[in-house]
């Protein structure tokens, strides 16, 4: 049972070693790093108590920690590939009752969608709520607006029981891939916008998001519906990354393994 005033912590995973666009989270978007966009937009969610950047113990991710220190963002360092463990340890350290999972390559994440997803979890007494499920399931919100929310108890059970590499790397598949294992809620948009791609995983994606933000005047306070209106008014944008293959939830980093890492680092 959750408290009447739960500690809701958004954990935003970030690392430098993207296979398709290395260093993407610190690349420029309208004068600021993508990571800053993701954190600042998430911070506007009314229900979120704190946004924590969860990176890895690898030296390559030192620039992420340095950036967080400069900006005053709380951060956590954990396992490079067992991201479920990274999330669990961060959630435990920051005493989260509810965890919002976000990714740093989604700079257009909408705080309203974060709040709606959190509300769905709390109001329906669910273990897990999301505004999309990855392929082979259905999504109706644009790629890049992904929000997953779960209780600490559900995350802890997944951390204890999940064994498959994809369950460890993608954090929450154990919560939704077997019907009936947990109480789940999936939110859908009023129309299907699931083919719209606003995440930043490739150079083509970066070009798209940069142009979309420029058309929005470089602001960072627009809603996803405002972005959608501009997107629909400029159909040429969709052609720029139309050939990019979206990862499935069973894709696993070939470097995933059981190797030990150094002790986690943390900032409050």
């Amino acid at each position: 049972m959750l408290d009447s005033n739960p500690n809701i912590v958004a954990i935003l995973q970030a690392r430098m070693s993207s296979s398709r666009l290395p260093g993407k989270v610190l690349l420029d978007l309208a004068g600021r790093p993508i990571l800053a966009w993701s954190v600042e937009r998430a911070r506007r969610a009314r229900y979120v108590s704190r946004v924590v950047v969860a990176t890895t113990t690898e030296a390559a991710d030192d620039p992420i920690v340095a950036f967080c220190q400069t900006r005053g963002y709380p951060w956590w360092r954990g396992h490079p590939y067992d991201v479920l463990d990274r999330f669990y340890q961060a959630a435990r350290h920051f005493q989260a009752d509810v965890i919002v999972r976000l990714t740093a390559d989604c700079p257009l994440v909408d705080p309203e969608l974060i709040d709606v997803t959190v509300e769905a979890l709390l109001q329906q007494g669910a273990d897990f709520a999301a505004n999309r499920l990855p392929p082979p399931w259905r999504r109706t919100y644009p790629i890049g607006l992904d929000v997953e929310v779960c209780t600490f108890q559900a995350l802890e059970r997944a951390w204890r029981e999940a064994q498959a590499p994809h369950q460890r790397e993608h954090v929450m598949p154990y919560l939704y891939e077997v019907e009936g294992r947990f109480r789940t809620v999936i939110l859908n948009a009023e129309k299907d916008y699931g083919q719209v791609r606003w995440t930043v995983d490739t150079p083509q994606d970066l070009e798209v998001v940069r142009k979309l933000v420029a058309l929005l005047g470089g602001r960072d306070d627009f809603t996803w519906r405002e972005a959608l209106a501009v997107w629909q008014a400029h159909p040429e944008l969709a052609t720029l990354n139309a050939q990019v293959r979206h990862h499935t939830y069973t894709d696993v980093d070939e470097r995933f393994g059981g190797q030990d890492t150094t002790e986690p680092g943390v900032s409050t």
Side-chain angles (χ1 to χ4, degrees):
M1 181 70 66
L2 289 172
D3 294 334
S4 58
N5 188 28
N7 181 28
I8 301 173
V9 178
I11 301 178
L12 193 152
Q13 66 191 70
R15 64 180 308 185
M16 296 292 285
S17 58
S18 165
S19 60
R20 297 200 283 189
L21 187 59
K24 62 184 179 182
V25 300
L26 294 183
L27 294 178
D28 180 79
L29 177 60
R32 288 184 295 162
I34 285 173
L35 178 58
W37 279 74
S38 303
V39 172
E40 295 297 338
R41 286 178 65 83
R43 279 182 159 183
R44 295 193 179 109
R46 292 180 295 111
Y47 292 133
V48 170
S49 308
R50 186 194 307 251
V51 179
V52 175
V53 176
T55 191
T56 86
T57 52
E58 294 186 325
D61 291 319
D62 289 351
I64 291 176
V65 173
F67 179 72
C68 290
Q69 290 172 331
T70 299
R71 297 295 291 258
Y73 297 157
W75 53 269
W76 175 266
R77 302 190 82 164
H79 199 291
Y81 312 116
D82 187 347
V83 192
L84 174 54
D85 182 71
R86 197 193 315 167
F87 265 69
Y88 171 71
Q89 301 300 343
R92 187 173 69 169
H93 177 84
F94 288 100
Q95 300 180 315
D97 299 310
V98 173
I99 296 92
V100 179
R101 179 186 175 230
L102 304 172
T103 59
D105 57 2
C106 293
L108 306 192
V109 63
D110 192 303
E112 180 184 354
L113 291 183
I114 294 174
D115 284 331
V116 168
T117 310
V118 170
E119 280 184 340
L121 179 99
L122 298 178
Q123 291 177 358
Q124 300 190 41
D127 302 305
F128 170 85
N131 66 353
R132 65 89 173 135
L133 285 182
W137 293 286
R138 184 168 178 253
R139 73 160 65 239
T140 54
Y141 285 98
I143 301 168
L145 301 182
D146 303 3
V147 179
E148 294 179 341
V149 183
C150 72
T151 65
F152 180 81
Q153 291 85 352
L155 185 71
E156 185 169 52
R157 180 180 163 192
W159 176 76
R160 293 183 186 280
E161 297 179 3
Q163 299 295 324
H166 77 275
Q167 295 169 340
R168 309 298 302 191
E169 182 171 333
H170 298 293
V171 185
M172 295 191 180
Y174 192 78
L175 302 181
Y176 57 74
E177 64 184 358
V178 174
E179 187 175 357
R181 181 185 282 160
F182 292 90
R183 293 165 295 174
T184 62
V185 179
I186 305 301
L187 287 72
N188 286 298
E190 69 279 2
K191 294 182 180 180
D192 188 352
Y193 304 112
Q195 298 307 309
V196 175
R197 184 176 173 85
W198 292 343
T199 191
V200 179
D201 196 39
T202 70
Q204 297 93 330
D205 293 332
L206 180 60
E207 181 184 6
V208 165
V209 171
R210 281 175 169 169
K211 289 186 175 183
L212 178 57
V213 168
L215 288 167
L216 286 157
R219 297 162 42 217
D220 72 348
D221 61 348
F222 52 83
T223 68
W224 79 273
R225 294 184 186 280
E226 288 179 271
L228 182 66
V230 171
W231 180 269
Q232 291 173 331
H234 294 270
E236 71 277 6
L237 293 176
T239 67
L240 299 175
N241 63 354
Q243 303 306 313
V244 176
R245 184 185 76 86
H246 191 60
H247 288 305
T248 72
Y249 86 111
T250 57
D251 288 340
V252 176
D253 193 310
E254 62 184 11
R255 297 164 293 184
F256 189 99
Q259 72 273 31
D260 291 333
T261 63
T262 58
E263 286 298 311
V266 61
S267 162
T268 57

